[in-house]
Amino acid sequence: MPNTEVLQWADEADDSLARNKILTDGEIIRTITAEDDDDDDVTPVNPIKIFHSEAGAALSISLQWAEEQNFEAHEIMLLRRLRDRAFELKIGTTGQRKITDFFGH
């Protein structure tokens, strides 16, 4: 490396060091702790309620698409399991009605 390039590199390194502030251990810990506290303000990604029937319908369409695209068998089986689980949850939340539910009191 010619001397002019070495000097230019050294000047750039000095400029970089001058721009960067040297932090003490305490300042580093406070900075990291402050960043962690900011994470608590995160709002949920999906605040809307998705019903089991909607999930089942979406998974059925996804399954059909995956089969058309010739996905691997384990990927298709996963979609089937998820679709079946959504159906089970839908059935489980649908309570059996009593005969008295159909008559006004």
Side-chain angles (χ1 to χ4, degrees), residues 41-99:
D41 299 335
V42 176
T43 56
V45 175
N46 195 6
I48 54 175
K49 174 74 173 145
I50 299 173
F51 296 101
H52 302 308
S53 58
E54 293 172 328
L59 287 163
S60 291
I61 291 170
S62 299
L63 177 61
Q64 182 180 357
W65 173 78
E67 289 172 341
E68 289 173 359
Q69 301 302 315
N70 296 321
F71 275 44
E72 293 183 20
H74 71 275
E75 295 168 323
I76 291 173
M77 292 302 296
L78 175 62
L79 286 172
R80 281 190 184 138
R81 262 193 1 239
L82 290 171
R83 181 201 56 193
D84 293 347
R85 181 72 176 122
F87 180 73
E88 290 169 3
L89 289 170
K90 178 185 173 199
I91 297 300
T93 58
T94 307
Q96 183 175 354
R97 294 187 168 206
K98 300 175 191 167
I99 190 88

Side-chain angles (χ1 to χ4, degrees), residues 2-64:
N3 281 342
T4 55
E5 289 181 29
V6 171
L7 291 175
Q8 182 181 2
W9 178 83
D11 287 340
E12 289 174 4
D14 289 341
D15 290 343
S16 176
L17 286 173
R19 284 191 303 265
N20 294 327
K21 181 181 175 186
I22 305 298
L23 299 176
T24 65
D25 291 343
E27 290 172 326
I28 293 171
I29 292 171
R30 280 192 295 279
T31 302
I32 291 172
T33 305
E35 289 174 3
D36 288 345
D37 291 343
D38 292 342
D39 294 342
D40 296 340
D41 299 335
V42 176
T43 56
V45 175
N46 195 6
I48 54 175
K49 174 74 173 145
I50 299 173
F51 296 101
H52 302 308
S53 58
E54 293 172 328
L59 287 163
S60 291
I61 291 170
S62 299
L63 177 61
Q64 182 180 357

